[in-house]
């Protein structure tokens, strides 16, 4: 596990400049001089936006189909469960055919609600509804019961889903590639497949972007835990 990480760091900090001399900061200098910070910023914006949109849509979907007693809940559930059947390239391609090439956030939001449909749905089914009925019998209004009784029970699951959503947005591959969104993972793949003779040392830049992805993930896990 450690050896690939050490090899990655070695590849970054032993890069040779145009004169053939080893320059430990050559990749970092090129990173800030080029447009690579924009890829990092775009991925970070996408991940943070998805944390909000996916949680709002995902929680709403599960509450409508599992918690509230509404007509047509089974039909809605079948519609929302379609993200479990197809995802990735198939989902984005279908979106392009039906709608438009612009819609990165919408497509990712729709795709990532599958985790809520799986895990949050099971969490709601595990709620002790005797507690819910007791709160209602004591005169609590439906919204207050939802806010004070149901949601605290779902918080551990929501934290886990937030981490999964952030990492999914940060490491998104198929959606940014097909929709033309400049983010980290498509750029890593492009650089890793470039020629080694390229003076812009693409492999080292791809390795640096991989390390940045890892740092973001570690920081998120530390903050959540």
């Amino acid at each position: 596990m450690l050896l690939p990480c050490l090899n990655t760091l070695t590849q970054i900090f032993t890069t040779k400049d145009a004169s053939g001399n080893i320059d430990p900061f050559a990749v970092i200098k090129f990173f800030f001089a080029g447009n690579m910070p924009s890829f990092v910023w775009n991925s970070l914006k996408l991940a943070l936006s998805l944390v909000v949109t996916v949680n709002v849509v995902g929680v709403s979907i599960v509450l409508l189909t599992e918690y509230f007693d509404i007509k047509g809940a089974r039909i809605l559930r079948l519609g929302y469960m379609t993200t479990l059947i197809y995802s990735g390239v198939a989902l984005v391609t279908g979106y392009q055919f039906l709608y438009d090439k612009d819609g990165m956030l919408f497509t990712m939001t729709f795709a990532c609600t599958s985790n809520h449909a799986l895990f949050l749905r099971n969490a709601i089914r595990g709620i002790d509804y005797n507690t819910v009925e007791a709160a209602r019998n004591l005169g609590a209004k439906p919204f207050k019961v939802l806010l004070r009784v149901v949601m605290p029970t779902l918080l551990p699951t929501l934290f886990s889903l937030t981490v999964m959503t952030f990492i999914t947005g940060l490491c998104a591959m198929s959606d940014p590639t097909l929709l033309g969104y400049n983010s980290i993972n498509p750029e890593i793949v492009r650089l890793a497949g470039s020629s080694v003779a390229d003076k812009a040392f693409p492999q080292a830049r791809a390795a640096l972007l991989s390390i940045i992805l890892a740092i973001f993930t570690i920081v998120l896990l530390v903050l959540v835990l």
Side-chain angles (χ1 to χ4, degrees):
M1 294 176 65
L2 292 176
L3 189 58
C5 297
L6 294 175
N7 288 336
T8 301
L9 290 172
T10 302
Q11 186 178 17
I12 293 174
F13 295 108
T14 59
T15 304
K16 296 181 179 179
D17 56 19
S19 302
N21 301 319
I22 294 178
D23 185 0
F25 301 104
V27 179
I28 298 176
K29 291 176 183 177
F30 189 87
F31 178 88
F32 287 105
N35 58 355
M36 291 180 69
S38 65
F39 294 108
V40 177
W41 176 235
N42 287 341
S43 291
L44 190 58
K45 285 193 298 183
L46 178 62
L48 293 174
S49 299
L50 287 179
V51 166
V52 178
T53 59
V54 172
N55 274 323
V56 170
V57 176
V59 171
S60 301
I61 287 172
V62 175
L63 290 178
L64 286 173
T65 57
E66 297 294 336
Y67 180 75
F68 295 112
D69 186 15
I70 63 172
K71 294 182 179 180
R74 292 185 178 179
I75 298 176
L76 283 175
R77 189 181 303 120
L78 288 175
Y80 291 132
M81 287 292 184
T82 54
T83 54
L84 298 175
I85 302 174
Y86 61 94
S87 60
V89 175
L91 187 147
V92 182
T93 304
Y95 177 86
Q96 286 182 306
F97 285 144
L98 291 176
Y99 299 103
D100 194 7
K101 293 184 178 180
D102 289 330
M104 182 67 195
L105 185 60
F106 177 84
T107 309
M108 288 292 295
T109 300
F110 180 70
C112 294
T113 54
S114 56
N115 289 329
H116 286 72
L118 284 174
F119 302 111
L120 193 61
R121 181 186 175 200
N122 290 332
I124 283 188
R125 289 188 171 188
I127 292 176
D128 184 6
Y129 278 90
N130 292 325
T131 307
V132 176
E133 290 298 327
R136 290 175 178 173
N137 292 334
L138 291 173
K141 295 182 179 180
F143 180 76
K144 190 172 183 180
V145 173
L146 178 63
L147 191 63
R148 297 289 183 87
V149 179
V150 177
M151 294 307 294
T153 308
L154 302 178
L155 279 181
T157 305
L158 286 174
F159 277 129
S160 301
L161 290 171
T162 298
V163 174
M164 294 169 63
T165 301
F166 184 87
I167 294 175
T168 301
L170 197 65
C171 303
M173 181 65 195
S174 57
D175 290 45
T177 301
L178 294 177
L179 297 179
Y181 186 78
N182 295 324
S183 60
I184 294 179
N185 248 356
E187 182 67 4
I188 290 176
V189 173
R190 188 188 70 81
L191 291 173
S194 299
S195 172
V196 179
D198 190 343
K199 294 182 179 179
F201 31 83
Q203 280 74 27
R205 286 154 56 199
L208 181 59
L209 285 174
S210 300
I211 290 177
I212 292 173
L213 274 180
I215 291 173
F216 280 145
T217 306
I218 292 171
V219 170
L220 175 68
L221 292 176
V222 170
L223 291 176
V224 172
L225 296 177

